[in-house]
């Protein structure tokens, strides 16, 4: 046998750019990295060298540095990749703000590993590049610390998620990506099959049915960090492909799931953010969340809960309130001094088409105890005092009131509450307020289709105590379904599943499936339930959203290495794109141009 | 705020079926699991209860067990899901072969959680189900220990891969699944875009270009366990979707990559198999591997290397050998006693169409020192002695010789060597012989297309010392490319990449790309290299193949939870399948039926 081990001839670097400090003074080192910037003061040149780990300052001095190296140093530009050898020396002007700020490298040799042309925007924390150009040159944008830090955070979170679940006995099991299209739910991306003419795979919107089958197979704790796909008309901050922490457990109840994944969230907060939650997460029913916050994902970093005022407002003959299905208000502490301009901007806010309130009623509870409202014509001070008591308003506070149909008004009041929370600084991204919202409705009425849709998905089980209403009042049936909400963002959700073949078939019927449709689309699952299915349930957390939350930002695009734009296009690789006719032929497809 | 914590009302199980032993005797426990089998001896009933963790025996005794429970126990069938409460008692007839063999559960309460109809095959280690029915009911097949153990092994390997790479400073970064189709390499699966008429995404065959861009972005150690897709005509044991351990590093040389991933392999062997490799892995050049084993993935668990005999055989006038480009042999130790039948079966083996040798020449070196061959007419004992010396054959050995064109004959001799290794018991799946094959050719000639193809891929860098031959003798240029081979199986491979924009363009030209084609398909990469690309390289390991290797089996299908069959079809969910016309319309596509 011919065995050999090559000798090490050459080493690109002995250290990276984030680690050298006063302890290394006097050492000879080799670094390979990018030129962040260069300052040429004639006799002295300083270069900041950058890699993933940090910055290290290089110094070249005329007369001290060899003339060839000094000349080379004059020529290297931004983003050149260079290798330098030199000695670590103490800096004269130390920079206490950077880990390597006590030292610099007195360079003895310099080699250009690769030149760089001028980037189309500056590779700095504050860049001059607009979003479009940065998407096109994503590989340059990813050099910026702000993106780099988020991808490192994402990596840490992914490792900790797996570590925690592995230790809890979960098995990571990969489910297929080439599956089957189902019309229920969002639109599928499909993949034409070359070998089966006219047939298609679909990319999974989630591994839902597969993880349930794994429960039937006896793998009682499953998880996966997995890409999912939805061909939706993209709204801001939606991506056609996204990552899910997908989990399922058997022989459990809702309480076990909530405890397990509350444990996961606490583990992540502790390991990654250094935040310890010693108390159980808050819990709230869906009904309460809607009543008190007008949202199924309330931001509970602050109070400002809704108070229904209809009984009080009906005492007088103000037609706007009296004809309204719902009158509700919130109390903005210490805002009685709002100027006319500020109050007008709130009215403008709630009457925007996206929010859609007809108008805003406010009551100032002045510091001197007097009350001043936009409805003084209809309500006297005694009435307003009653409202103040209901809203727990004190002198100095501002009461904001909306009226109209219940759902729309609660929704608008939710937006107003969030806006006020923002203005009052209650929505600090470094404060985390997790919440379980439970007891979601099983079904929601779809006015367009004139039928019920599954609020979560068709496999969610009704609460046993509500099953008797399934036929008579399906809209009132609550599900064993729950969402994890942090700071007003739905991080994920799940449910206890149906594990009974007959109940599952009844559910499909309620959702408008014919028995044939149910069998052709989900026959394998209905069949599987006949061979001994255990009670089971699970949840899925949006990993992109979780990372963004931990990073304190709203946009998931910032925590994805290569995201697509709002038109579902990868600007960098210019995809989607036309394919060869030969490829289409092989797939037995032709493109039909629309008028 | 409405906060509440639900009380725990009910618990499905206090223990699982693999953990109870003599220490638990006297404890009251609750178990929920599947009925593996039931033995009814009239007055006594034993049930083996099965879950992911093991088996626990339940016992019911007439007159001792309550009549209702005893009656229930008579009715539960195979694969029923039941919950039992009872006391752990010592078994009379202990079973030392199972962890719970010292105890059984004296059942006090039994609840059927879900019934089961009779499975279409037995859920036993040795099942009576054929492959097709087991694929259709994969969720039942997955209940069998043999598959379960492999998925658990897969989980462990995945966790250890990530743990090791994370500790080495690698960042796990997700690359997109909806990318762009490129005609180079295997055939892509494509995904029609609804929003961009007539345009398509493609599913990645590997994240190759993205990981190289991450190097350009400065993420100097990247990894990902990632699904990849190839629309190939499936051969046995290929899957249209498969999983890769995908890695890339910057500021490294080939030696760094080999060391790092040899470290990973050693870590996995130690942690998962308890096998320590204290010596460096063997290394072999591609040229030597072909010369000595006729394969770029030699199984070095045993020797039996090829010996070229052309110079010796040319001494006499045997036209078959003299007209052959190549004559080579192997020595099968201790096989001189092979019967005529055994030798005939070897001839049949090498002359099979898949192997394609014209015939087999053998020389028996008998225990008494005499030599007997199928070519005694042409070569005398002195000639054969010379061959024996060359092949290092001793009395008792059998020499097997093939002749013909070099590539074909070496390939056939490789098959013969592996077959002999198998017959002689040298291919023990519990022995692991890892090997690096290095110095692969950069290009290979494609006779059909009359042009060179990249042997690895178009981004592989030529060895600097061979670059001068790129234009004159491209076929002779070696690449900085390497494969990890274990027991004759290519576990993975990689290369040092081109990081120079001009060399990359030259490479595309050599591969027959016009500048326009290169720009339209890989323009983003060529562009990226202009903005400061570091030296980089990497590798990808086939994760399915690695798991199969660790499991001691050949088929990757056994280590994938939901595999597809040889026609690329998921038999369980019946996919691919036709989609609605409305879906096709939305995608601006129509199916063109082929004559």
């Amino acid at each position: 046998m011919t065995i050999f081990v090559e000798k090490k001839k050459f080493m690109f670097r002995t250290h990276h750019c984030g680690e050298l400090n006063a302890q290394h003074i006097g050492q000879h080192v080799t670094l390979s990295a990018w030129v962040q910037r260069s300052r040429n003061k004639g006799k002295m040149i300083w270069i900041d060298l950058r890699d993933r780990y940090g910055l290290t300052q290089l110094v070249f001095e005329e007369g001290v540095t060899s003339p060839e190296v000094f000349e080379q140093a004059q020529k290297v530009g931004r983003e050149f990749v260079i290798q330098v050898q030199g000695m670590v020396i103490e800096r004269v002007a130390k920079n206490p703000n950077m880990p390597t700020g006590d030292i610099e490298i007195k360079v003895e040799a310099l080699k250009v590993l690769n030149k760089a042309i001028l980037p189309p925007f500056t590779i700095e924390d504050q860049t001059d590049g607009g979003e479009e150009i940065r998407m096109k040159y994503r590989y340059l944008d990813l050099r910026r610390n702000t993106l780099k830090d988020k991808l490192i955070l994402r990596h840490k979170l992914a490792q900790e998620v797996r570590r925690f679940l592995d230790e809890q006995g979960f098995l990571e099991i990969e489910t297929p990506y080439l599956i089957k299209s189902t019309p229920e739910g969002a639109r599928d991306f499909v993949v034409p099959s070359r070998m089966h003419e006219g047939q298609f795979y679909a990319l999974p919107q989630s591994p839902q049915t597969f993880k349930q089958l794994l429960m039937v197979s006896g793998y009682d704790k499953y998880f996966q960090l997995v890409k999912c796909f939805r061909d939706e008309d993209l709204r801001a901050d939606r991506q056609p492909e996204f990552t899910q922490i997908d989990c399922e457990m058997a022989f459990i109840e809702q309480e076990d799931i909530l405890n397990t994944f509350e444990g996961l969230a606490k583990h992540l907060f502790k390991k990654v953010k250094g935040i310890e939650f010693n108390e159980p997460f808050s819990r709230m029913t869906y009904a309460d969340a809607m009543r008190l916050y007008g949202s199924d994902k309330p931001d509970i970093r602050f109070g400002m809960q809704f108070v229904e005022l209809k009984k009080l407002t009906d005492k007088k003959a103000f037609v706007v309130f009296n004809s309204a299905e719902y009158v509700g208000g919130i109390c903005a502490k210490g805002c009685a001094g709002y100027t006319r301009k500020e109050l007008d901007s709130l009215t403008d806010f709630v009457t925007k088409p996206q929010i859609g309130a007809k108008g805003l009623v406010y009551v100032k509870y002045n510091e001197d105890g007097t009350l001043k409202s936009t409805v003084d014509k209809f309500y006297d001070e005694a009435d307003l005092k009653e409202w103040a008591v209901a809203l727990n308003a004190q002198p100095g506070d501002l009461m904001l009131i909306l009226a109209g149909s219940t759902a729309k008004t609660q929704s608008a009041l939710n937006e107003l509450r969030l806006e006020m929370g923002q203005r009052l600084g209650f929505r600090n991204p470094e404060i985390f307020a997790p919440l379980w919202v439970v007891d979601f409705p099983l079904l929601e009425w779809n006015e367009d289709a004139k039928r019920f849709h599954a609020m979560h998905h068709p496999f969610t089980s009704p609460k046993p105590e509500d099953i008797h209403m399934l036929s008579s009042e399906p809209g009132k049936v609550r599900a064993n379904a729950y969402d994890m909400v942090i700071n007003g963002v739905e991080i994920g959700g799940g449910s206890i599943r149906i594990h009974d073949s007959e109940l599952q078939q009844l559910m499909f019927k309620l959702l408008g499936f014919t028995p044939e449709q149910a069998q052709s689309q989900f026959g394998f699952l209905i069949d599987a339930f006949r061979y001994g299915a255990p009670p089971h349930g699970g949840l899925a957390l949006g990993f992109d959203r979780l990372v963004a939350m931990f990073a304190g930002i709203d946009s998931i695009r910032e925590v994805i290495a290569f995201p697509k734009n709002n038109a579902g296009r990868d600007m960098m690789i210019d995809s989607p794109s036309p394919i060869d006719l030969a490829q289409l032929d092989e797939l037995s497809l032709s493109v039909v141009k629309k008028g």
Side-chain angles (χ1 to χ4, degrees), chain A residues 344-551:
Chain A
D344 283 350
S345 86
L346 288 181
T347 302
D348 290 347
F349 176 83
V350 297
T351 54
K352 282 193 297 191
Q354 310 93 291
I355 299 196
K358 296 256 163 57
L360 172 69
V361 167
Y362 61 81
V363 184
K364 283 181 168 185
Y365 199 163
N366 296 313
E367 290 286 1
D368 62 7
T370 61
L371 288 136
K372 173 80 193 132
S373 85
T374 46
V375 286
D376 283 350
K377 255 193 277 181
F378 306 96
Y379 300 96
D380 59 25
E381 188 145 319
D383 295 321
L384 302 181
K385 273 263 163 70
E386 280 189 345
W387 301 4
V389 170
L391 279 158
N392 197 22
Q394 310 296 330
D397 295 348
L398 175 70
M399 295 175 259
L400 299 167
I401 299 161
L402 297 179
S405 67
T406 305
K408 250 183 115 171
T409 308
Q410 285 184 339
S411 164
L413 198 53
N414 166 50
E415 297 293 341
L416 179 61
R417 174 181 174 270
L418 293 175
E419 174 67 20
M420 288 310 298
Q422 194 69 45
R423 292 187 183 203
L424 295 170
F426 293 151
R427 303 182 71 191
N428 178 350
E430 286 303 314
I431 303 283
F432 296 92
L435 171 74
W436 288 108
V437 178
V438 298
D439 295 356
F440 273 80
L442 181 68
L443 303 163
E444 61 186 344
W445 182 253
N446 185 308
E447 195 51 43
D448 293 337
K450 298 282 176 213
R451 65 173 180 92
F452 281 104
H453 276 278
M455 186 132 179
H456 188 48
H457 55 52
F459 315 109
T460 297
S461 69
K463 280 194 174 283
E465 60 267 36
D466 289 1
I467 286 186
H468 68 278
M469 295 187 290
L470 261 182
S471 308
S472 52
E473 295 179 286
K476 285 201 176 164
V477 175
R478 291 167 306 159
N480 281 319
Y482 32 81
D483 274 0
M484 186 191 282
V485 172
I486 305 178
N487 294 0
V489 175
E490 183 201 324
I491 294 298
S495 64
I496 301 298
R497 325 300 184 188
I498 298 167
H499 66 281
D500 178 87
S501 188
E502 283 168 33
L503 182 57
Q504 185 64 66
Q505 280 175 302
L506 173 62
M507 192 66 189
F508 283 129
K509 196 176 152 195
L510 271 176
L511 296 172
F513 284 72
T514 66
E516 293 70 33
Q517 284 170 333
Q519 188 61 34
S520 105
Q521 285 165 36
F522 298 109
F524 58 96
L525 191 69
I526 297 170
D527 285 350
F529 284 174
R530 294 198 177 96
Y531 291 102
H536 64 286
L539 98 175
L541 302 175
F543 187 56
D544 308 297
R545 187 103 12 237
L546 185 76
V547 181
M549 168 70 55
F550 270 69

Side-chain angles (χ1 to χ4, degrees), chain A residues 225-355:
Chain A
L225 263 80
V226 62
K227 274 280 176 82
C228 301
F229 304 85
R230 275 181 208 166
D231 184 12
E232 291 176 301
D233 295 317
L234 296 174
R235 300 197 298 248
D237 213 33
R238 283 277 181 113
Q239 288 283 319
E241 51 177 305
F242 54 96
T243 305
Q244 212 163 270
I245 306 171
D246 193 52
C247 306
E248 196 81 1
M249 300 171 81
F251 300 120
I252 45 77
E253 294 177 286
Q254 175 167 316
E255 193 58 29
D256 300 291
I257 306 241
L258 299 196
N259 284 334
T260 301
F261 295 97
E262 187 165 318
L264 170 63
K266 285 178 175 176
H267 175 84
L268 297 178
F269 275 115
K270 185 171 168 186
K271 289 284 178 181
V272 179
K273 299 290 287 185
I275 297 172
E276 293 213 38
F277 286 92
N278 297 313
E279 298 298 315
F281 285 2
S282 300
R283 296 188 188 184
M284 195 181 294
T285 63
Y286 172 86
D288 281 343
M290 296 310 290
R291 184 173 60 81
L292 298 171
Y293 300 93
S295 166
D296 60 0
K297 40 180 195 279
D299 184 348
I300 59 165
R301 279 175 296 186
F302 61 105
M304 222 189 276
Q305 294 182 343
F306 295 5
V307 174
E308 283 184 58
L309 299 172
K310 180 80 175 155
K311 273 186 196 159
L312 300 179
T313 57
D314 273 0
K315 291 180 179 174
K316 293 291 167 67
F318 178 41
V319 66
V320 172
F321 281 0
N322 294 5
S323 67
E325 186 184 6
Y326 176 87
V327 180
I330 56 176
C331 171
K333 289 277 160 203
C335 295
Y338 262 33
T339 62
R340 182 64 198 231
K341 199 176 153 194
E342 287 173 308
L343 291 164
D344 283 350
S345 86
L346 288 181
T347 302
D348 290 347
F349 176 83
V350 297
T351 54
K352 282 193 297 191
Q354 310 93 291
I355 299 196

Side-chain angles (χ1 to χ4, degrees), chain A residues 156-190:
Chain A
K156 279 188 196 154
L157 279 165
Q159 307 317 308
E160 288 300 337
V161 166
R162 294 206 193 81
R163 199 161 293 153
F164 178 86
L165 293 173
D166 178 38
E167 278 166 14
Q168 299 281 320
F170 281 78
L171 293 175
E172 187 177 10
I173 300 176
E174 295 168 60
T175 52
Y177 278 79
L178 296 173
I179 65 165
K180 187 171 176 165
S181 191
T182 57
E184 186 71 1
R187 209 183 277 105
D188 287 321
F189 281 106
V190 296

Side-chain angles (χ1 to χ4, degrees), chain A residues 126-144:
Chain A
Q126 297 297 326
T127 180
D128 57 355
E131 174 149 33
E132 193 147 334
I133 191 114
R134 287 189 288 113
M135 288 284 273
K136 181 164 160 61
Y137 295 92
R138 185 72 171 182
Y139 48 84
L140 296 179
D141 206 19
L142 284 169
R143 288 184 183 170
R144 296 169 57 234

